[in-house]
Amino acid sequence: MDKKNNDSEWYTHSNLSNIQDSTGNSRVSNFVEQVHTLNTLHFIVGICQIFMGLTVIGASILGFINPLWVSVAFTMVASVTTMIGLYFLYITVSKSYDSRSLLRNAMKRVMKAKN
């Protein structure tokens, strides 16, 4: 295995540290990588963002926030937050049903194995 061509650009000497080796062995990076691949977590975050934005908008409309300018500011921020949550939910759902994702993931695995 150590008899690879030294002129090849894919060859790295075993004594030299690799960036992927230093970041890939961390417990935190493994946890973040596992959580990032979970569509369920993204789906729950999108729903929570939509729910919280609509709750703030409802509280502003019902008059629970007294100064008008604060109510308007909260309504504007909550509206943008709700729209971002809807977009995030749309992206999450559309990526899970993407027909090309299997091919894309296979190509990523091949490229990662080559490196």
Side-chain angles (χ1 to χ4, degrees):
M1 226 170 184
D2 290 333
K3 298 190 182 218
K4 290 184 180 178
N5 186 5
N6 289 337
D7 295 330
S8 174
E9 62 187 48
W10 297 106
Y11 177 76
T12 57
H13 194 270
S14 61
N15 293 335
L16 297 176
S17 64
N18 192 350
I19 293 174
Q20 188 175 9
D21 293 338
S22 64
T23 60
N25 295 332
S26 172
R27 289 182 187 175
V28 175
S29 66
N30 288 337
F31 176 74
V32 169
E33 185 177 346
Q34 289 174 357
V35 169
H36 184 68
T37 59
L38 295 176
N39 285 336
T40 306
L41 182 64
H42 294 169
F43 188 76
I44 291 171
V45 167
I47 288 178
C48 288
Q49 192 171 1
I50 293 167
F51 177 73
M52 295 302 290
L54 291 177
T55 302
V56 171
I57 291 171
S60 294
I61 289 174
L62 292 175
F64 292 131
I65 303 172
N66 286 334
L68 184 62
W69 66 274
V70 174
S71 176
V72 169
F74 279 174
T75 303
M76 289 171 44
V77 170
S79 297
V80 171
T81 302
T82 304
M83 287 186 285
I84 291 172
L86 284 169
Y87 180 71
F88 190 62
L89 194 64
Y90 168 74
I91 292 297
T92 303
V93 170
S94 67
K95 277 187 180 181
S96 66
Y97 294 114
D98 190 13
S99 62
R100 294 176 302 219
S101 65
L102 183 62
L103 178 62
R104 187 178 310 122
N105 290 338
M107 288 179 7
K108 284 181 184 179
R109 284 193 302 270
V110 167
M111 293 305 290
K112 190 174 183 180
K114 267 189 159 180
N115 290 335

